[in-house]
Amino acid sequence: MNKPKQLSAFITTLNRDCPGVLVEVDAPRDPEGEWWLDVANGGSHETVSWRPKVGFGFFTTDEKGFGDRPDEIYRKVEGACARLCRLMEQRRTNTTRSMGLKDVRRMAGRPQAQLASVLKTNQAAVSRLENRTDMYLSSLGEYIRAMGGQLELHAKFKDFEIRIDPLLIARK
Amino acid sequence: MALTRSERLAIFLERLSAAPAAGSAEEALILLAAMLNGVEDEFTTVLFDLSGVQSDGRMYPPLPDSAREVPGRSDVTRYRS
């Protein structure tokens, strides 16, 4: 079966950006189904899921499971390759694989100065915000919005799940 | 009682091993799904929801679109999920 164009582009870009990686493609029976890529680099290994209407999915936790969905999704080849190279580097150097605010900003391709301008503040304030261990949800929401994203907050209980509006959290 | 994914996986595998053998591929898939969904219903607070594309913390049985051919074995279907 021929590989879909986006998958071929991903492999080409990955070989360019992370030289030395070996990629094995596990094709589904139905080309519209879930494709898997096994990416090896030295001693490390990453699994990538790809669905035509969803994009590239990465698994950043190492806890053993079965039938998990990806915890990060990337719709475009360049972003997916950049994140995968970073994940492999993080595994090699044994550093945390989850993303902090600074990582998210870099993925969104927004320099601190640009973000500061959108937030009507200065670069130092953005830097301080990124290094905080705690902050108001409203500040986090503004930060994400300034990058073109949307902050979502969900609460899950045994019998129900709800979406909480971060802006209405203090409503009486 | 909420358990970690690894703990739930161990329970699922234990229950699957103890279950009566399936008589066909279709039965095996149904059995696997019933066992996994049972464990997840029992030990997580996450509701079964196939509409999402991102992890919700729950493990899901293989979907039809994850079926794969096995070279040289037209009688076998492999699932990856």
Side-chain angles (χ1 to χ4, degrees), chain A residues 26 34 51 69-70 158, chain B residues 41 49 55 65 68 78 80:
Chain A
D26 189 0
E34 186 169 32
R51 287 178 190 269
R69 290 177 189 150
K158 182 70 183 169
Chain B
D41 286 343
D49 178 10
S55 175
D65 75 352
R68 281 148 165 77
R78 177 170 64 90
R80 181 169 179 178

Side-chain angles (χ1 to χ4, degrees), chain B residues 5-80:
Chain B
R5 196 160 36 188
S6 303
E7 289 168 333
R8 294 181 341 250
L9 177 67
I11 294 170
F12 160 64
L13 293 174
E14 196 177 292
R15 289 185 184 178
L16 195 61
S17 305
S24 66
E26 192 184 350
E27 268 184 38
L29 201 55
I30 291 169
L31 176 69
L32 187 151
M35 291 286 162
L36 186 61
N37 291 335
V39 169
E40 293 301 83
D41 286 343
E42 198 174 338
F43 297 109
T44 74
T45 57
V46 185
L47 301 178
F48 184 89
D49 178 10
L50 284 179
S51 65
V53 293
Q54 201 173 3
S55 175
D56 58 7
R58 184 178 170 116
M59 296 187 281
Y60 288 90
L63 297 173
D65 75 352
S66 64
R68 281 148 165 77
E69 306 287 355
V70 177
R73 290 294 305 270
S74 57
D75 58 326
V76 176
T77 299
R78 177 170 64 90
Y79 289 85
R80 181 169 179 178

